[in-house]
Amino acid sequence: MTARGVQAGEDAEDLDVEEALALVNQGTGHFPGDSPHFPGTGATPAPGTPGPATGGRVSGQGGDAGPGSGAAPHGGPHAAHTGPQGHAHATPWPRARDIAARAVRPAARATAVPVPLHAALGLVLAEPLAALTDLPSFDTSAMDGWAVAGPGPWDVREGGSLAGHAQAAPLTDGEAVGIATGARIPQDTTAVLRTEHGRTDAKGKLHSVRDLGHGQDIRPRGQECRSGEQLLPAGTLVTPAVLGLAAAAGYDTLTTVPRPRADVFVLGDELLTEGLPHDGRIRDALGPMLPPWLRALGAEVASVRRVGDDAKALHRALTRSEADLVVTTGGTAAGPVDHLRPTLRRMEADLLVDGVRVRPGHPMLLARTKENQHLVGLPGNPLAAVSGLLTLAEPLLRALAARPAPEPYTMPLRDGVHGHPSDTRLVPVVLRGDHAAPLHYNGPAMLRGVAAADALAVVPPGGLRAGQEAELLDLPWAAAGIGVCFT
């Protein structure tokens, strides 16, 4: 017998064991389109509503917990608790992303630096881009043809005016000279006659086969901008087009915000770096996946290290890191070899987010380990780690790099998606025309769905029916724009 909300066959893989049990234990289960709340779960906070934040000093000594603080320190009578035993006090998903986006203190922001144009792609302008010259800096021809003076027909002067060459001698009424696109306009020119609009008669006179207006096909000096005019504001992402504009406006370097530096620590004794799984050991999927994903989110990955299930080794690795962001994988629960939380407690780190009401990935965490350093603890399951990246690491990196927040958008779902009783779900989807199609193989340990996905759909508690609008989180290489750059 299959409970409502837990479908047989392939769709059953959409839920992890804990989610499936939660649905079954509710008695009636839930399909998209039913009441958004399960019996006994109570009301779910609306997206963006401040929920039970989970900040606090991991040491249990209190202190500045940063944005979202308010819960008792870790270990106190109302401490946030996540992991296999429950996560009733975990942070709602929208609130967790907001905390991550606001976690960077002003003193931790990187100092802007000038970089050559060829190194600026994907960075953010730290100051406005103002034109260093008029554009164009002189009157130029917009077309190949003839520069003419006065009404026709015209006598054609020998020679011509080419781009990059000195300006031709002034014209007199009734005179024309050949000109190339981009060449300087001779003095007293009244228009440019395009090559295809001119003809010469037997006497060598040039005639126009169309009406020719005054100033036609002449780009006047300063048509695009004047020297000193602001072209782009600070905070603009440097795209290939921005590089072209900067070069045209006279720049050799751009003052930009440096890429945040990230260290990745892959935790666990059970991980293999090559070959097939054997003897209870599995291949490490996160070591190959996280560095390029972080680069696509704007980080410079300084190092990738594997750390065994050893508390001393983990403490040594974390305390020696000088990166702006440390990303760890696994060890976020409360198992016998899950050393991350005890290590953060030993470091007296400020715990800003201790568990998030999201599936997969709810045991994720965010901590401030130093005044200028943060740590994002990702669950060890691959898709759960992806959820943590997009929930906590992406908004934090965006703040460190001074990148603008993407405009939120929605699309209708082709198929309904069941919801968790109380948590947000992130479900891989492909974008097809005017709708998003949910993908199977979206369990916490699976990458098959997200490997084919264009985005993750944000599914609120209770689920969504077919045709309902879902908020989408673009994957950085699937979105149009600079996100496709992995270098």
Side-chain angles (χ1 to χ4, degrees):
M1 179 177 178
T2 303
R4 291 183 63 203
V6 184
Q7 302 176 43
E10 186 177 67
D11 286 353
E13 295 177 336
D14 292 351
L15 289 172
D16 63 15
V17 173
E18 186 176 347
E19 290 177 282
L21 288 175
L23 289 171
V24 172
N25 290 338
Q26 294 298 332
T28 59
H30 184 63
F31 262 144
D34 292 345
S35 172
H37 303 298
F38 279 67
T41 62
T44 302
T49 301
T54 59
R57 186 174 294 278
V58 185
S59 65
Q61 299 173 357
D64 175 20
S69 62
H74 185 89
H78 302 290
H81 182 71
T82 61
Q85 292 78 17
H87 64 297
H89 299 289
T91 306
W93 182 79
R95 177 68 172 147
R97 283 177 55 81
D98 184 61
I99 291 172
R102 299 171 182 270
V104 181
R105 291 170 169 168
R109 298 189 186 278
T111 302
V113 294
V115 297
L117 290 185
H118 67 80
L121 185 66
L123 300 180
V124 169
L125 295 179
E127 52 188 43
L129 187 74
L132 302 180
T133 181
D134 296 343
L135 283 182
S137 53
F138 45 80
D139 294 347
T140 63
S141 175
M143 293 288 172
D144 292 337
W146 297 268
V148 301
W154 302 273
D155 293 317
V156 180
R157 181 201 298 169
E158 291 186 4
S161 181
L162 300 176
H165 288 243
Q167 186 177 26
L171 295 176
T172 59
D173 280 357
E175 191 175 26
V177 66
I179 195 167
T181 302
R184 299 186 67 169
I185 295 293
Q187 187 178 338
D188 297 327
T189 297
T190 55
V192 169
L193 177 64
R194 301 184 186 190
T195 301
E196 62 270 26
H197 295 166
R199 65 174 181 82
T200 53
D201 60 20
K203 297 180 179 180
K205 288 277 191 179
L206 176 65
H207 297 259
S208 177
V209 298
R210 295 192 180 182
D211 291 338
L212 187 63
H214 191 277
Q216 186 167 323
D217 289 325
I218 295 176
R219 294 188 64 215
R221 176 173 181 164
Q223 182 186 53
E224 187 169 1
C225 65
R226 289 292 184 180
S227 180
E229 184 178 341
Q230 180 176 312
L231 304 176
L232 295 169
T236 298
L237 185 66
V238 179
T239 64
V242 171
L243 291 177
L245 176 62
Y251 285 84
D252 299 316
T253 63
L254 291 174
T255 302
T256 60
V257 180
R259 287 183 177 88
R261 294 166 301 133
D263 282 341
V264 178
F265 297 140
V266 181
L267 313 183
D269 289 337
E270 75 279 12
L271 302 176
L272 297 168
T273 59
E274 60 183 15
L276 296 174
H278 61 83
D279 300 326
R281 303 184 69 190
I282 60 173
R283 277 298 296 270
D284 169 28
L286 298 181
M289 179 176 74
L290 291 182
W293 202 312
L294 289 166
R295 292 188 191 103
L297 292 175
E300 174 189 332
V301 179
S303 68
V304 181
R305 292 183 52 191
R306 287 172 173 81
V307 181
D309 292 321
D310 183 319
K312 291 182 179 179
L314 177 59
H315 182 267
R316 186 165 53 249
L318 294 183
T319 54
R320 291 181 179 180
S321 172
E322 297 181 355
D324 303 300
L325 171 65
V326 176
V327 177
T328 64
T329 69
T332 59
V337 294
D338 291 329
H339 300 302
L340 182 57
R341 279 183 172 80
T343 301
L344 292 174
R345 186 179 305 119
R346 179 181 173 188
M347 295 171 62
E348 298 190 356
D350 291 328
L351 197 57
L352 307 181
V353 175
D354 187 8
V356 178
R357 299 176 71 94
V358 67
R359 301 303 178 101
H362 60 280
M364 68 181 74
L365 62 84
L366 170 64
R368 182 181 293 115
T369 49
K370 303 174 186 176
E371 180 66 19
N372 60 346
Q373 184 185 76
H374 292 80
L375 178 144
V376 171
L378 303 177
N381 276 325
L383 189 58
V386 169
S387 173
L389 272 180
L390 296 182
T391 299
L392 298 177
E394 186 275 332
L396 182 69
L397 285 171
R398 184 177 358 109
L400 286 168
R403 290 189 178 211
E407 288 293 327
Y409 75 103
T410 65
M411 288 185 72
L413 293 176
R414 187 190 67 184
D415 308 308
V417 179
H418 53 70
H420 188 273
S422 59
D423 295 354
T424 300
R425 288 190 68 205
L426 300 182
V427 177
V429 295
V430 290
L431 308 184
R432 295 291 182 264
D434 60 353
H435 64 263
L439 295 169
H440 297 298
Y441 305 105
N442 53 33
M446 299 180 179
L447 287 174
R448 183 173 173 181
V450 75
D454 299 313
L456 297 185
V458 180
V459 180
L464 292 171
R465 299 184 302 273
Q468 277 192 288
E469 296 281 332
E471 179 186 351
L472 298 182
L473 300 178
D474 279 324
L475 301 182
W477 47 88
I482 198 62
V484 299
C485 180
F486 288 89
T487 58

